[in-house]
Amino acid sequence: MAANANIYGYGRAHAFEQYSDRLEGNRDGIALVIFTEQPNDAAKNALEKSFAAIGFDAGACTYAHIDDLMPDEIFALVEGIDPLVLVACDAKAARLYGQAVRQEFPPMRRMRLFGREARAFTQLNAMLEQEADRQAVWHLLKTMA
């Protein structure tokens, strides 16, 4: 997205410039996936396929490593990217974001934070290894449709 394409493009471009070493995936993704433990290929694949299945475009995800950021930096990164939806891959990422916005972001619950759909998982990588947990992940993600 060009920084001057629309009024929201500047903030996103600035966030990508400032946090480029922490961001990967689709630069124009509508879903921001935050994590403290790198999501493995299975987790990324599950997120991308789940978002495609509920009607988001392929490659919907931008990924952000937030482990050692200060709360104001986490807030600036997320608000600069300004995603339609927010996903925390692990409980620590959810806790850090919750501290940044001074609001609880509990795992495994449907919620909205700052006007966007938000979902958090306890540990997405591990959850995808068990069938019952995989089903819980899918059930929670499909509520974002």
Side-chain angles (χ1 to χ4, degrees), residues 67 70 97 100 108 138:
D67 191 29
M70 299 300 294
Y97 181 73
M108 305 308 295
W138 167 239

Side-chain angles (χ1 to χ4, degrees), residues 4 22 34 45 58 64 81 84 102-103 122 127 132 135 138:
N4 62 358
R22 300 179 170 283
I34 60 174
N45 190 40
I81 298 294
L84 179 63
R102 296 181 181 98
Q103 187 170 340
T122 53
M127 291 181 77
Q135 291 302 318
W138 167 239

Side-chain angles (χ1 to χ4, degrees), residues 10-23 27 65 69-70 72-81:
Y10 175 78
R12 183 173 281 248
H14 180 70
F16 267 88
E17 181 180 309
Q18 186 172 3
Y19 299 104
S20 62
D21 59 329
R22 300 179 170 283
L23 296 168
R27 187 177 178 103
H65 179 246
L69 291 177
M70 299 300 294
D72 61 323
E73 294 172 311
I74 295 169
F75 184 83
L77 184 151
V78 173
E79 292 307 308
I81 298 294

